[in-house]
Amino acid sequence: MRLRMVGLAVLVMAAAGCGGVGSDPGGEIRVSAAASLTDAFASIEQAYEDAHPGTDVVLNLAASSSLREQILEGAPVDVFASANLLNMQVVADAGMVVGEPAVFAGNTLQIAVPPGNPGGVSGLADLSREELLVGLCAAGVPCGDFAREALALAGVEAAVDTDEPNVRALLTKVIEGELDAGIVYTTDVAAAGSVVEGIAVPAGHNVAAEYPIAVLAGAPDPVGAEAFVAFVLGAEGRAILAGHGFTLP
Amino acid sequence: MVLGLLGLAVFVVPLAGLLARVPWARLPALLGGDVVTDALRLSAVTSLAAVAISAVLGIPLAWLLARVEFPGKRVVRAVVMLPLVLPPVVGGSALLFALGRRGLVGEALGDATGLVLPFSTLGVVVAATFVAMPFLVLTVEGGLRSMDRRFEGAAATLGAGRWTVLRRVTLPMVAPSLVAGVVLTWARAFGEFGATITFAGNLQGRTQTLPLAVFVALETDRDTAVAISLVMVAVSLIVLAALRDRWWGAR
């Protein structure tokens, strides 16, 4: 008897949950995009909504690895734009992607330092200095994996003080001056403007990030999703991405 | 009764979801990993330190709120309660702006003592104290308010000094509130996440407590994340159940 009541309670909860998730909201496209796309996709959202009145693009911005987990756990998402191929591949391998993911942008790494460069950082080798406060993205987050690749290529063992959950969280701590240096994307430094300085990572040690985008198999609005992806891959999307400092495939 | 069970389901369903994912066979190996043991040690140390600081500072503050009349008391009480309603990430940002290397107080503190709180274990303790101490202040204040003050008066009449009254009468009488406050404070400090990752960062062995380890592992190694979550559930249940039997069992 008791068990049956609990079962009933569970059923009621499940039914209540379905109402919110399954229904198709009028013209809403849910886009899960990597944190490093924050500014570029805000511009793309604006341009898309201007071109398609009545459509509402909803951005969910986080580390690609967080977005991947949300999608794998069944979050209602129409489009996934990842900051690396790996996270997209995991979603595709789970059979949750429609067609082939398309690479729509590329990025490189820079060392972000607070204005005036108080730590006197001039290259990757400085990140091994114990007296500096150095941050990376956590391992598993694309910017964290790329940063570790670059450090390995340069043969530098970084004295890391914090593994931040996503690139924007890392950048914020550099902007606030709490960290002396952090490895972020070139586009993040450009987006932040004068509140951080970027120090180039030489081409031999740099790692080129590739951003794939795809419509998800469980998309609540597959038509809108296709249209949005086409927009990002099209002339207007490319122009916006280039304007934010991304390289184009 | 249906609503009551529905209420229970709110707690039980997520727990069941977690238990369903536990990789039982690999559990010992996962829990023996250094990420888990480092985080467990750090969580134990920082949550207990936060409780200790909360007791030292929070009990006098509770006494102030319960026994001393002063203008603006409502505002003071609201400020004390603020961390209860504030999203922890906001609290963490506030701590960063106040106690960070470039912060309002933090810059002077660093210049004077060389102490840098962000990205240090001490920073984790500060974050945990900030979010958890209100529980201690509010429960102890409630205890002080509801106790019968005539006992204190009687003791004083019988010649007991202020210190003796506090030690022999007041503290024993508010002991149940104090214990409840300590348990709630510890529980909040043990589970603290948002203020910690915002203010103290995330580094294994230095600032990565169990909740942070779960968060990071969730994106890289889900089995480890589930295993750590299980540890947190177990530790919390054991502590809450043990304390309840010991102090509130009679009720």
Side-chain angles (χ1 to χ4, degrees), chain B residues 38-101:
Chain B
D38 278 357
L40 186 62
R41 181 180 50 78
L42 199 63
S43 271
V45 169
T46 55
S47 63
L48 292 175
V51 169
I53 296 174
S54 297
V56 169
L57 301 178
I59 294 173
L61 182 55
W63 185 82
L64 216 61
L65 286 170
R67 294 290 171 82
V68 182
E69 287 310 319
F70 56 90
K73 196 163 160 180
R74 281 174 173 217
V75 179
V76 171
R77 190 178 287 116
V79 169
V80 170
M81 281 184 66
L82 206 54
L84 292 180
V85 287
L86 217 55
V89 61
V90 175
S93 314
L95 285 172
L96 202 61
F97 300 145
L99 300 175
R101 220 160 38 142

Side-chain angles (χ1 to χ4, degrees), chain B residues 55-205:
Chain B
V56 169
L57 301 178
I59 294 173
L61 182 55
W63 185 82
L64 216 61
L65 286 170
R67 294 290 171 82
V68 182
E69 287 310 319
F70 56 90
K73 196 163 160 180
R74 281 174 173 217
V75 179
V76 171
R77 190 178 287 116
V79 169
V80 170
M81 281 184 66
L82 206 54
L84 292 180
V85 287
L86 217 55
V89 61
V90 175
S93 314
L95 285 172
L96 202 61
F97 300 145
L99 300 175
R101 220 160 38 142
R102 300 260 182 97
L104 202 60
V105 180
E107 189 158 8
L109 186 75
D111 289 345
T113 63
L115 195 65
V116 176
L117 286 175
F119 316 113
S120 72
T121 304
L122 201 54
V124 179
V125 176
V126 170
T129 307
F130 176 79
V131 296
M133 190 158 82
F135 287 97
L136 195 99
V137 176
L138 292 179
T139 41
V140 173
E141 189 205 344
L144 283 170
R145 282 181 174 284
S146 59
M147 74 172 274
D148 192 338
R149 295 197 59 185
R150 282 174 299 180
F151 288 103
E152 290 172 334
T157 319
L158 293 173
R162 282 179 63 185
W163 178 243
T164 312
V165 172
L166 178 71
R167 199 163 45 87
R168 302 292 295 271
V169 180
T170 315
L171 282 181
M173 284 190 77
V174 297
S177 313
L178 190 59
V179 171
V182 162
V183 173
L184 286 173
T185 303
W186 172 80
R188 181 66 188 86
F190 187 65
E192 164 47 33
F193 171 77
T196 309
I197 200 162
T198 314
F199 177 58
N202 169 46
L203 189 72
Q204 188 191 333

Side-chain angles (χ1 to χ4, degrees), chain A residues 23-62:
Chain A
S23 60
D24 186 18
E28 192 177 272
I29 306 172
R30 299 161 212 220
V31 179
S32 283
S36 48
L37 293 167
T38 301
D39 301 280
F41 266 45
S43 303
I44 288 179
E45 173 189 3
Q46 192 62 50
Y48 186 86
E49 286 173 357
D50 288 348
H52 302 79
T55 305
D56 184 17
V57 175
V58 180
L59 294 180
N60 175 26
L61 300 153

Side-chain angles (χ1 to χ4, degrees), chain A residues 10 30 45-46 58 60 66 81 88 90 104-106 116 135 165 170 187 189 191 213 216 226 246:
Chain A
V10 172
R30 299 161 212 220
E45 173 189 3
Q46 192 62 50
V58 180
N60 175 26
S66 295
M88 181 63 84
V90 174
F104 67 96
L170 174 59
T187 52
V189 175
I213 192 168
L216 295 171
E226 292 285 358
F246 287 92

